[in-house]
Coordinates of all heavy atoms in Angstrom, one line a residue:
M1 N 82.4 228.8 -8.9 CA 82.4 227.6 -8.1 C 83.4 226.5 -8.7 O 83.9 225.7 -8.0 CB 81.0 227.0 -7.9 CG 80.2 227.9 -7.0 SD 78.4 227.4 -6.9 CE 78.5 225.9 -6.0
I2 N 83.5 226.5 -10.1 CA 84.3 225.5 -10.7 C 85.3 226.2 -11.6 O 85.7 225.7 -12.7 CB 83.5 224.5 -11.5 CG1 82.7 225.1 -12.6 CG2 82.7 223.6 -10.5 CD1 82.0 224.1 -13.5
S3 N 85.8 227.4 -11.2 CA 86.7 228.2 -12.1 C 88.1 227.6 -12.3 O 88.7 227.9 -13.3 CB 86.7 229.6 -11.6 OG 87.3 229.6 -10.3
D4 N 88.5 226.8 -11.3 CA 89.9 226.3 -11.4 C 89.9 225.0 -12.2 O 88.9 224.2 -12.1 CB 90.5 226.0 -10.0 CG 90.5 227.3 -9.2 OD1 91.1 228.3 -9.7 OD2 90.0 227.3 -8.1
K5 N 91.0 224.7 -13.0 CA 91.0 223.5 -13.8 C 91.0 222.3 -12.9 O 90.4 221.3 -13.3 CB 92.2 223.5 -14.7 CG 93.6 223.2 -14.0 CD 94.7 223.1 -15.0 CE 96.0 222.8 -14.3 NZ 97.1 222.6 -15.3
W6 N 91.5 222.4 -11.7 CA 91.5 221.2 -10.8 C 90.1 220.8 -10.4 O 89.8 219.7 -10.3 CB 92.4 221.4 -9.6 CG 93.9 221.7 -10.0 CD1 94.6 222.8 -9.7 CD2 94.8 220.9 -10.7 NE1 95.8 222.8 -10.3 CE2 96.0 221.6 -10.9 CE3 94.7 219.6 -11.3 CZ2 97.1 221.0 -11.5 CZ3 95.8 219.1 -12.0 CH2 97.0 219.8 -12.1
K7 N 89.3 221.8 -10.1 CA 87.9 221.6 -9.7 C 87.1 220.8 -10.7 O 86.4 219.9 -10.4 CB 87.2 222.9 -9.3 CG 87.8 223.4 -8.0 CD 87.1 224.7 -7.7 CE 87.7 225.3 -6.4 NZ 87.2 226.7 -6.2
V8 N 87.3 221.2 -12.0 CA 86.6 220.5 -13.1 C 87.0 219.0 -13.1 O 86.2 218.1 -13.2 CB 86.8 221.2 -14.4 CG1 86.3 220.3 -15.6 CG2 86.2 222.5 -14.4
L9 N 88.3 218.8 -12.9 CA 88.9 217.4 -13.0 C 88.4 216.6 -11.7 O 88.1 215.4 -11.9 CB 90.4 217.4 -13.0 CG 91.0 218.0 -14.3 CD1 92.5 218.1 -14.2 CD2 90.5 217.3 -15.5
I10 N 88.3 217.3 -10.6 CA 87.8 216.6 -9.4 C 86.4 216.2 -9.6 O 86.0 215.0 -9.3 CB 87.9 217.5 -8.2 CG1 89.4 217.7 -7.8 CG2 87.2 216.9 -7.0 CD1 89.7 218.9 -6.8
L11 N 85.5 217.1 -10.1 CA 84.1 216.8 -10.3 C 84.0 215.7 -11.3 O 83.2 214.7 -11.2 CB 83.4 218.0 -10.8 CG 83.3 219.2 -9.8 CD1 82.7 220.4 -10.5 CD2 82.4 218.8 -8.7
R12 N 84.8 215.7 -12.4 CA 84.8 214.7 -13.4 C 85.1 213.3 -12.8 O 84.4 212.3 -13.0 CB 85.8 215.0 -14.5 CG 85.9 213.9 -15.5 CD 87.3 213.9 -16.2 NE 88.4 213.5 -15.3 CZ 89.6 213.6 -15.6 NH1 90.0 214.1 -16.8 NH2 90.6 213.3 -14.7
D13 N 86.1 213.3 -11.9 CA 86.5 212.0 -11.3 C 85.5 211.5 -10.2 O 85.5 210.3 -9.9 CB 87.9 212.1 -10.8 CG 88.9 212.2 -11.9 OD1 88.6 212.0 -13.1 OD2 90.1 212.5 -11.6
L14 N 84.7 212.4 -9.7 CA 83.7 212.0 -8.7 C 82.4 211.6 -9.3 O 81.5 211.1 -8.6 CB 83.6 213.1 -7.6 CG 84.7 213.2 -6.6 CD1 84.5 214.4 -5.7 CD2 85.0 211.9 -5.8
L15 N 82.1 212.0 -10.5 CA 80.8 211.6 -11.1 C 80.5 210.1 -11.1 O 79.3 209.8 -10.8 CB 80.8 212.1 -12.6 CG 80.5 213.6 -12.7 CD1 80.6 214.1 -14.2 CD2 79.1 213.9 -12.2
P16 N 81.5 209.2 -11.3 CA 81.1 207.8 -11.2 C 80.8 207.3 -9.8 O 80.2 206.3 -9.6 CB 82.4 207.1 -11.7 CG 83.1 208.1 -12.5 CD 82.8 209.4 -11.8
G17 N 81.3 208.1 -8.8 CA 81.0 207.7 -7.4 C 82.1 208.1 -6.4 O 83.0 208.9 -6.8
T18 N 82.0 207.7 -5.2 CA 82.9 208.1 -4.1 C 84.3 207.7 -4.4 O 84.6 206.6 -4.9 CB 82.4 207.4 -2.8 OG1 81.0 207.9 -2.6 CG2 83.3 207.8 -1.6
K19 N 85.3 208.6 -4.0 CA 86.7 208.2 -4.1 C 87.4 208.7 -2.9 O 87.0 209.7 -2.2 CB 87.3 208.9 -5.3 CG 86.9 208.3 -6.7 CD 87.9 208.6 -7.7 CE 87.7 208.0 -9.1 NZ 86.5 207.4 -9.4
R20 N 88.5 208.0 -2.6 CA 89.4 208.4 -1.5 C 90.4 209.5 -2.0 O 90.6 209.6 -3.2 CB 90.2 207.2 -1.0 CG 89.2 206.3 -0.3 CD 89.9 205.0 0.2 NE 90.8 205.3 1.2 CZ 91.5 204.4 1.9 NH1 91.3 203.1 1.5 NH2 92.4 204.7 2.8
F21 N 91.0 210.2 -1.1 CA 92.0 211.3 -1.5 C 93.1 210.7 -2.4 O 93.3 211.3 -3.5 CB 92.6 211.9 -0.2 CG 93.5 213.0 -0.5 CD1 93.0 214.3 -0.6 CD2 94.9 212.8 -0.8 CE1 93.9 215.4 -0.9 CE2 95.7 213.9 -1.0 CZ 95.2 215.1 -1.1
G22 N 93.7 209.6 -2.1 CA 94.7 209.1 -2.9 C 94.3 208.7 -4.3 O 95.0 208.9 -5.3
E23 N 93.1 208.2 -4.4 CA 92.5 207.8 -5.7 C 92.3 209.1 -6.6 O 92.6 209.1 -7.8 CB 91.2 207.1 -5.6 CG 91.2 205.8 -5.0 CD 89.8 205.2 -4.7 OE1 89.0 205.9 -4.1 OE2 89.6 204.1 -5.2
L24 N 91.8 210.2 -6.0 CA 91.7 211.4 -6.7 C 93.0 212.0 -7.1 O 93.2 212.4 -8.3 CB 91.0 212.5 -5.8 CG 89.5 212.3 -5.7 CD1 88.9 213.2 -4.6 CD2 88.8 212.5 -7.0
K25 N 94.0 212.0 -6.2 CA 95.3 212.5 -6.6 C 95.9 211.7 -7.7 O 96.5 212.3 -8.7 CB 96.3 212.5 -5.4 CG 97.6 213.2 -5.6 CD 98.3 213.4 -4.3 CE 99.6 214.1 -4.5 NZ 100.3 214.1 -5.7
K26 N 95.8 210.4 -7.7 CA 96.3 209.6 -8.8 C 95.6 209.8 -10.1 O 96.3 209.9 -11.1 CB 96.2 208.1 -8.4 CG 96.9 207.2 -9.3 CD 96.8 205.7 -8.8 CE 97.5 204.8 -9.7 NZ 97.5 203.4 -9.2
S27 N 94.3 209.9 -10.1 CA 93.5 210.1 -11.3 C 93.7 211.4 -11.9 O 93.6 211.6 -13.2 CB 92.1 209.7 -11.1 OG 91.5 210.7 -10.3
I28 N 93.9 212.4 -11.1 CA 94.1 213.8 -11.6 C 95.4 214.0 -12.2 O 95.6 214.7 -13.2 CB 93.7 214.8 -10.5 CG1 92.2 214.8 -10.2 CG2 94.1 216.2 -11.0 CD1 91.8 215.6 -9.0
G29 N 96.5 213.5 -11.6 CA 97.8 213.6 -12.2 C 98.7 214.6 -11.4 O 98.9 214.5 -10.2
H30 N 99.1 215.6 -12.1 CA 100.2 216.5 -11.6 C 99.8 217.6 -10.6 O 100.3 218.7 -10.7 CB 100.9 217.2 -12.8 CG 101.5 216.2 -13.7 ND1 102.6 215.4 -13.3 CD2 101.2 215.8 -15.0 CE1 102.9 214.6 -14.4 NE2 102.1 214.8 -15.4
V31 N 98.8 217.3 -9.8 CA 98.4 218.3 -8.8 C 99.1 217.9 -7.4 O 99.3 216.8 -7.1 CB 96.8 218.2 -8.6 CG1 96.4 216.9 -8.0 CG2 96.4 219.3 -7.7
T32 N 99.5 219.0 -6.7 CA 100.2 218.8 -5.4 C 99.1 218.4 -4.4 O 97.9 218.8 -4.5 CB 101.0 220.0 -5.0 OG1 100.0 221.1 -4.7 CG2 102.0 220.4 -6.0
Q33 N 99.6 217.8 -3.3 CA 98.7 217.5 -2.2 C 98.0 218.7 -1.6 O 96.8 218.7 -1.3 CB 99.4 216.7 -1.2 CG 98.5 216.2 0.0 CD 99.2 215.2 0.9 OE1 100.1 214.5 0.5 NE2 98.8 215.2 2.1
K34 N 98.8 219.8 -1.5 CA 98.4 221.0 -0.9 C 97.3 221.6 -1.8 O 96.2 222.1 -1.2 CB 99.5 222.0 -0.8 CG 99.2 223.3 -0.2 CD 100.4 224.3 -0.1 CE 100.0 225.6 0.4 NZ 101.1 226.5 0.5
V35 N 97.5 221.7 -3.1 CA 96.5 222.3 -4.0 C 95.2 221.4 -4.0 O 94.1 222.0 -3.9 CB 97.1 222.5 -5.4 CG1 96.0 222.8 -6.4 CG2 98.2 223.5 -5.4
L36 N 95.4 220.1 -4.1 CA 94.2 219.2 -4.1 C 93.4 219.4 -2.8 O 92.1 219.5 -2.9 CB 94.6 217.8 -4.3 CG 93.5 216.8 -4.4 CD1 92.5 217.1 -5.5 CD2 94.0 215.4 -4.6
T37 N 94.0 219.4 -1.7 CA 93.3 219.6 -0.4 C 92.6 220.9 -0.4 O 91.4 221.0 0.0 CB 94.3 219.6 0.8 OG1 95.0 218.3 0.8 CG2 93.7 219.8 2.1
A38 N 93.2 222.0 -0.9 CA 92.5 223.3 -0.9 C 91.3 223.3 -1.8 O 90.3 223.8 -1.5 CB 93.5 224.4 -1.3
Q39 N 91.5 222.7 -3.0 CA 90.4 222.6 -4.0 C 89.2 221.8 -3.4 O 88.1 222.2 -3.6 CB 90.9 222.0 -5.3 CG 92.0 222.8 -6.0 CD 91.5 224.1 -6.5 OE1 90.6 224.1 -7.4 NE2 92.0 225.2 -6.0
L40 N 89.5 220.7 -2.8 CA 88.5 219.9 -2.2 C 87.7 220.6 -1.1 O 86.5 220.5 -1.0 CB 89.1 218.6 -1.6 CG 89.5 217.5 -2.7 CD1 90.4 216.5 -2.1 CD2 88.3 216.9 -3.3
R41 N 88.5 221.3 -0.3 CA 87.8 222.1 0.8 C 86.9 223.2 0.2 O 85.8 223.4 0.7 CB 88.9 222.8 1.7 CG 89.5 221.8 2.6 CD 90.4 222.4 3.7 NE 90.9 221.3 4.5 CZ 92.1 221.3 5.0 NH1 92.9 222.4 4.8 NH2 92.6 220.4 5.8
Q42 N 87.4 223.9 -0.9 CA 86.5 224.9 -1.5 C 85.2 224.3 -2.1 O 84.2 224.8 -2.0 CB 87.3 225.6 -2.6 CG 88.4 226.5 -2.0 CD 89.3 227.1 -3.1 OE1 89.0 227.0 -4.3 NE2 90.4 227.7 -2.7
L43 N 85.4 223.1 -2.7 CA 84.2 222.4 -3.3 C 83.3 222.0 -2.2 O 82.0 222.0 -2.3 CB 84.6 221.2 -4.1 CG 85.3 221.5 -5.4 CD1 85.9 220.3 -6.0 CD2 84.3 222.1 -6.4
E44 N 83.8 221.6 -1.0 CA 83.0 221.2 0.1 C 82.2 222.4 0.7 O 81.0 222.4 0.9 CB 83.8 220.6 1.2 CG 83.0 220.1 2.4 CD 83.9 219.4 3.4 OE1 85.1 219.6 3.4 OE2 83.3 218.8 4.3
E45 N 83.0 223.5 0.8 CA 82.3 224.8 1.3 C 81.2 225.3 0.3 O 80.3 225.9 0.8 CB 83.4 225.9 1.5 CG 84.3 225.6 2.6 CD 85.5 226.6 2.6 OE1 85.6 227.5 1.8 OE2 86.4 226.3 3.4
S46 N 81.4 225.0 -1.0 CA 80.4 225.4 -2.0 C 79.2 224.5 -2.0 O 78.2 224.7 -2.7 CB 81.0 225.4 -3.4 OG 82.1 226.3 -3.4
G47 N 79.3 223.4 -1.3 CA 78.2 222.4 -1.2 C 78.2 221.4 -2.4 O 77.2 220.8 -2.6
L48 N 79.3 221.3 -3.1 CA 79.3 220.5 -4.3 C 79.8 219.0 -3.9 O 79.5 218.1 -4.7 CB 80.3 221.0 -5.4 CG 79.8 222.3 -6.0 CD1 80.8 222.9 -6.9 CD2 78.5 222.2 -6.7
L49 N 80.4 218.9 -2.8 CA 80.8 217.5 -2.4 C 80.8 217.4 -0.9 O 80.8 218.4 -0.2 CB 82.2 217.1 -3.0 CG 83.4 217.9 -2.6 CD1 84.0 217.5 -1.2 CD2 84.5 217.6 -3.6
T50 N 80.8 216.2 -0.4 CA 80.8 215.9 1.0 C 82.1 215.2 1.3 O 82.6 214.4 0.4 CB 79.6 215.1 1.5 OG1 79.6 213.9 0.8 CG2 78.4 215.9 1.4
R51 N 82.6 215.3 2.5 CA 83.9 214.7 3.0 C 83.5 213.9 4.2 O 82.9 214.4 5.1 CB 84.9 215.8 3.3 CG 86.1 215.3 3.9 CD 87.0 216.6 4.2 NE 88.3 216.2 4.6 CZ 88.7 216.2 5.9 NH1 87.8 216.6 6.8 NH2 89.9 215.8 6.3
K52 N 83.9 212.6 4.1 CA 83.6 211.7 5.2 C 84.9 211.1 5.8 O 85.7 210.6 5.0 CB 82.7 210.6 4.8 CG 82.3 209.7 6.0 CD 81.1 208.7 5.6 CE 80.8 207.9 6.8 NZ 79.7 207.0 6.5
V53 N 85.2 211.4 7.1 CA 86.4 210.9 7.7 C 86.1 209.7 8.5 O 85.1 209.7 9.4 CB 87.0 212.0 8.6 CG1 88.3 211.5 9.2 CG2 87.3 213.2 7.7
Y54 N 86.8 208.6 8.4 CA 86.6 207.4 9.1 C 87.7 207.4 10.2 O 88.8 207.7 10.0 CB 86.7 206.2 8.3 CG 85.6 206.0 7.2 CD1 85.7 206.7 6.0 CD2 84.5 205.3 7.5 CE1 84.7 206.6 5.1 CE2 83.4 205.2 6.6 CZ 83.6 205.9 5.4 OH 82.6 205.8 4.5
A55 N 87.3 207.0 11.4 CA 88.2 206.9 12.6 C 89.0 205.6 12.5 O 88.7 204.7 13.2 CB 87.4 207.0 13.9
E56 N 90.0 205.6 11.6 CA 90.8 204.5 11.4 C 92.3 204.9 11.5 O 92.6 206.1 11.4 CB 90.6 203.8 10.1 CG 89.2 203.3 9.9 CD 88.9 202.8 8.5 OE1 89.8 202.9 7.6 OE2 87.8 202.2 8.3
V57 N 93.2 204.0 11.6 CA 94.6 204.3 11.5 C 95.2 203.4 10.3 O 95.1 202.2 10.4 CB 95.4 204.0 12.8 CG1 96.8 204.2 12.6 CG2 94.8 204.8 13.9
P58 N 95.7 204.0 9.3 CA 95.7 205.5 9.0 C 94.3 206.0 8.7 O 93.4 205.2 8.3 CB 96.6 205.6 7.8 CG 96.5 204.3 7.1 CD 96.3 203.3 8.2
P59 N 94.1 207.3 8.9 CA 92.7 207.8 8.6 C 92.3 207.6 7.2 O 93.1 207.7 6.2 CB 92.9 209.3 8.9 CG 94.2 209.5 9.4 CD 95.0 208.3 9.3
R60 N 91.0 207.3 7.0 CA 90.5 207.2 5.6 C 89.5 208.3 5.4 O 88.6 208.5 6.2 CB 89.8 205.8 5.5 CG 89.2 205.6 4.1 CD 88.7 204.2 4.0 NE 87.9 203.7 5.0 CZ 86.7 203.2 4.9 NH1 86.1 203.1 3.7 NH2 86.0 202.7 6.0
V61 N 89.6 209.0 4.3 CA 88.8 210.1 4.0 C 88.2 209.8 2.6 O 88.9 209.5 1.6 CB 89.5 211.5 4.0 CG1 88.6 212.6 3.6 CG2 90.2 211.7 5.3
E62 N 86.9 210.0 2.5 CA 86.2 209.7 1.2 C 85.4 211.0 0.8 O 84.9 211.7 1.6 CB 85.2 208.5 1.3 CG 85.9 207.2 1.5 CD 85.0 206.1 1.5 OE1 83.7 206.3 1.8 OE2 85.4 204.9 1.3
Y63 N 85.4 211.2 -0.5 CA 84.7 212.4 -1.1 C 83.6 211.9 -2.0 O 83.8 211.0 -2.8 CB 85.7 213.3 -1.8 CG 86.7 213.8 -0.9 CD1 87.9 213.2 -0.7 CD2 86.5 215.0 -0.3 CE1 88.9 213.7 0.1 CE2 87.5 215.6 0.6 CZ 88.7 214.9 0.8 OH 89.6 215.4 1.6
T64 N 82.4 212.5 -1.9 CA 81.3 212.2 -2.7 C 80.6 213.4 -3.2 O 80.5 214.4 -2.4 CB 80.3 211.3 -1.9 OG1 81.0 210.2 -1.3 CG2 79.1 210.8 -2.7
L65 N 80.1 213.4 -4.4 CA 79.4 214.6 -4.9 C 78.0 214.7 -4.2 O 77.4 213.7 -3.9 CB 79.2 214.5 -6.4 CG 80.4 214.7 -7.3 CD1 80.0 214.6 -8.8 CD2 81.1 216.0 -7.0
T66 N 77.6 215.9 -3.9 CA 76.2 216.1 -3.4 C 75.3 216.2 -4.6 O 75.7 216.1 -5.8 CB 76.2 217.5 -2.7 OG1 76.5 218.5 -3.6 CG2 77.1 217.5 -1.5
E67 N 74.0 216.3 -4.3 CA 73.0 216.5 -5.4 C 73.4 217.7 -6.2 O 73.3 217.7 -7.5 CB 71.6 216.6 -4.8 CG 70.5 216.5 -5.8 CD 69.1 216.5 -5.1 OE1 69.0 215.9 -4.0 OE2 68.2 217.2 -5.7
L68 N 73.8 218.8 -5.6 CA 74.2 220.0 -6.3 C 75.4 219.7 -7.2 O 75.4 220.1 -8.3 CB 74.5 221.1 -5.3 CG 75.0 222.4 -5.9 CD1 73.9 223.0 -6.8 CD2 75.4 223.4 -4.8
G69 N 76.3 218.9 -6.7 CA 77.5 218.5 -7.5 C 77.1 217.7 -8.7 O 77.6 218.0 -9.8
Y70 N 76.2 216.7 -8.5 CA 75.8 215.9 -9.6 C 75.0 216.7 -10.6 O 75.0 216.4 -11.8 CB 74.9 214.7 -9.1 CG 75.7 213.6 -8.6 CD1 75.7 213.2 -7.3 CD2 76.5 212.8 -9.5 CE1 76.5 212.1 -6.8 CE2 77.3 211.8 -9.1 CZ 77.3 211.4 -7.7 OH 78.0 210.4 -7.3
S71 N 74.4 217.8 -10.2 CA 73.6 218.7 -11.1 C 74.5 219.4 -12.2 O 74.0 219.9 -13.2 CB 72.8 219.7 -10.4 OG 73.6 220.7 -9.9
L72 N 75.8 219.4 -12.0 CA 76.8 219.9 -12.9 C 77.1 219.0 -14.1 O 77.8 219.4 -15.0 CB 78.0 220.4 -12.2 CG 77.9 221.6 -11.4 CD1 79.2 221.8 -10.5 CD2 77.7 222.8 -12.3
K73 N 76.6 217.7 -14.0 CA 77.0 216.8 -15.0 C 76.6 217.2 -16.4 O 77.5 217.2 -17.3 CB 76.3 215.4 -14.7 CG 76.7 214.3 -15.8 CD 76.1 213.0 -15.5 CE 76.5 211.9 -16.4 NZ 77.0 212.2 -17.7
P74 N 75.4 217.8 -16.7 CA 75.1 218.3 -18.0 C 76.1 219.4 -18.5 O 76.4 219.5 -19.7 CB 73.7 218.8 -18.0 CG 73.1 218.2 -16.7 CD 74.2 217.9 -15.8
V75 N 76.5 220.2 -17.6 CA 77.5 221.3 -17.9 C 78.8 220.7 -18.3 O 79.4 221.1 -19.3 CB 77.6 222.3 -16.7 CG1 78.7 223.3 -17.0 CG2 76.3 222.9 -16.3
L76 N 79.3 219.8 -17.5 CA 80.6 219.1 -17.8 C 80.5 218.3 -19.1 O 81.5 218.3 -19.9 CB 81.0 218.2 -16.6 CG 81.3 218.9 -15.3 CD1 81.5 217.9 -14.2 CD2 82.4 219.9 -15.4
D77 N 79.4 217.7 -19.3 CA 79.2 216.9 -20.6 C 79.2 217.9 -21.8 O 79.9 217.6 -22.8 CB 77.9 216.1 -20.6 CG 77.9 214.9 -19.7 OD1 79.0 214.5 -19.2 OD2 76.8 214.4 -19.3
A78 N 78.6 219.0 -21.6 CA 78.6 220.0 -22.7 C 80.0 220.5 -23.0 O 80.4 220.7 -24.1 CB 77.6 221.1 -22.4
M79 N 80.7 220.8 -21.9 CA 82.1 221.2 -22.1 C 83.0 220.2 -22.8 O 83.8 220.5 -23.7 CB 82.7 221.6 -20.7 CG 82.1 222.8 -20.1 SD 82.6 223.1 -18.4 CE 84.4 223.2 -18.5
W80 N 82.8 218.9 -22.5 CA 83.5 217.9 -23.1 C 83.2 217.8 -24.6 O 84.0 217.7 -25.4 CB 83.3 216.5 -22.4 CG 84.0 215.4 -23.0 CD1 85.3 215.0 -22.7 CD2 83.6 214.5 -24.0 NE1 85.7 214.0 -23.4 CE2 84.7 213.6 -24.3 CE3 82.4 214.3 -24.7 CZ2 84.6 212.6 -25.2 CZ3 82.3 213.3 -25.7 CH2 83.4 212.5 -25.9
T81 N 81.9 217.8 -24.9 CA 81.4 217.8 -26.3 C 82.0 218.9 -27.1 O 82.5 218.7 -28.2 CB 79.9 217.8 -26.3 OG1 79.4 216.6 -25.6 CG2 79.4 217.7 -27.8
W82 N 82.0 220.1 -26.5 CA 82.5 221.3 -27.2 C 84.0 221.1 -27.5 O 84.5 221.4 -28.6 CB 82.3 222.5 -26.3 CG 82.9 223.8 -27.0 CD1 82.2 224.6 -27.9 CD2 84.2 224.3 -26.9 NE1 83.1 225.6 -28.3 CE2 84.3 225.4 -27.7 CE3 85.3 223.9 -26.2 CZ2 85.5 226.2 -27.8 CZ3 86.5 224.6 -26.3 CH2 86.5 225.8 -27.1
G83 N 84.7 220.6 -26.5 CA 86.2 220.3 -26.7 C 86.5 219.3 -27.8 O 87.4 219.5 -28.5
E84 N 85.7 218.3 -27.8 CA 85.9 217.2 -28.9 C 85.6 217.8 -30.2 O 86.3 217.6 -31.2 CB 85.0 216.0 -28.6 CG 85.4 215.2 -27.4 CD 86.7 214.6 -27.5 OE1 87.0 213.9 -28.5 OE2 87.6 214.8 -26.6
E85 N 84.5 218.6 -30.4 CA 84.2 219.2 -31.7 C 85.3 220.2 -32.1 O 85.7 220.3 -33.2 CB 82.8 219.9 -31.6 CG 81.7 218.9 -31.6 CD 80.4 219.5 -31.4 OE1 80.2 220.7 -31.6 OE2 79.4 218.7 -31.1
Y86 N 85.8 221.0 -31.1 CA 86.9 222.0 -31.3 C 88.1 221.2 -31.9 O 88.7 221.7 -32.8 CB 87.2 222.7 -30.1 CG 88.3 223.7 -30.2 CD1 88.1 225.0 -30.8 CD2 89.6 223.4 -29.9 CE1 89.2 225.9 -30.9 CE2 90.7 224.2 -30.0 CZ 90.4 225.5 -30.5 OH 91.5 226.4 -30.7
K87 N 88.5 220.1 -31.2 CA 89.6 219.4 -31.7 C 89.5 218.9 -33.1 O 90.4 219.0 -33.9 CB 89.9 218.2 -30.7 CG 90.5 218.5 -29.4 CD 91.0 217.3 -28.6 CE 90.1 216.2 -28.5 NZ 90.6 215.1 -27.6
K88 N 88.3 218.4 -33.4 CA 88.1 217.9 -34.8 C 88.2 219.0 -35.8 O 88.8 218.8 -36.9 CB 86.7 217.3 -34.9 CG 86.5 215.9 -34.2 CD 85.1 215.4 -34.4 CE 84.9 214.2 -33.5 NZ 83.5 213.8 -33.5
K89 N 87.6 220.2 -35.5 CA 87.6 221.3 -36.5 C 89.0 221.9 -36.6 O 89.3 222.4 -37.7 CB 86.6 222.4 -36.0 CG 85.2 222.0 -36.2 CD 84.3 223.1 -35.7 CE 82.8 222.6 -35.7 NZ 81.9 223.6 -35.1
N90 N 89.8 221.8 -35.6 CA 91.1 222.5 -35.6 C 92.3 221.5 -35.7 O 93.4 221.9 -35.5 CB 91.2 223.4 -34.4 CG 90.2 224.5 -34.5 OD1 90.4 225.4 -35.3 ND2 89.2 224.5 -33.7
N91 N 92.0 220.2 -36.0 CA 93.0 219.2 -36.1 C 94.0 219.2 -34.9 O 95.2 219.2 -35.0 CB 93.8 219.4 -37.4 CG 92.9 219.2 -38.6 OD1 92.1 218.3 -38.6 ND2 93.1 220.0 -39.6
V92 N 93.4 219.3 -33.7 CA 94.3 219.4 -32.5 C 94.5 218.0 -32.0 O 93.6 217.2 -31.9 CB 93.6 220.3 -31.4 CG1 94.4 220.2 -30.1 CG2 93.4 221.7 -31.9

């Protein structure tokens, strides 16, 4: 469900709260719009986030983690901790 590097970054950026598509694209960095859209759709299909479309011009779309998505926080925290310890041990 979170095998792609972009999905982990999306989840990380949604942990603090709801974000719009443009905010996610900016915070993630070098991801294309096409790839980000595909990753968001897969996460929505997996039940990890919800997508809300507002009937405005231009359209506004917001993404929010579901309860299932928020349940990954301890996993993401553990991955971050492991990465920090790895960097210290290997002078990365």
Side-chain angles (χ1 to χ4, degrees):
M1 291 171 69
I2 60 170
S3 59
D4 301 308
K5 75 174 182 177
W6 301 118
K7 288 179 183 170
V8 172
L9 297 176
I10 292 167
L11 292 170
R12 175 203 67 189
D13 289 350
L14 287 175
L15 280 171
T18 301
K19 286 203 176 11
R20 293 175 66 176
F21 183 88
E23 293 174 307
L24 284 170
K25 187 166 181 341
K26 187 176 181 180
S27 67
I28 291 171
H30 301 292
V31 63
T32 65
Q33 183 169 334
K34 180 181 177 180
V35 169
L36 181 56
T37 299
Q39 299 291 296
L40 287 165
R41 286 191 179 142
Q42 290 172 8
L43 287 168
E44 184 180 13
E45 289 169 9
S46 298
L48 295 174
L49 62 80
T50 59
R51 176 180 184 259
K52 184 170 183 180
V53 181
Y54 294 88
E56 299 175 353
V57 176
R60 177 171 50 124
V61 180
E62 292 182 341
Y63 297 91
T64 307
L65 290 180
T66 62
E67 190 175 323
L68 180 61
Y70 278 113
S71 73
L72 286 168
K73 184 179 182 333
V75 175
L76 296 173
D77 288 344
M79 290 170 59
W80 182 84
T81 301
W82 180 89
E84 290 298 307
E85 290 176 14
Y86 177 84
K87 284 193 312 189
K88 286 178 189 173
K89 290 178 184 175
N90 295 290
N91 297 320
V92 177

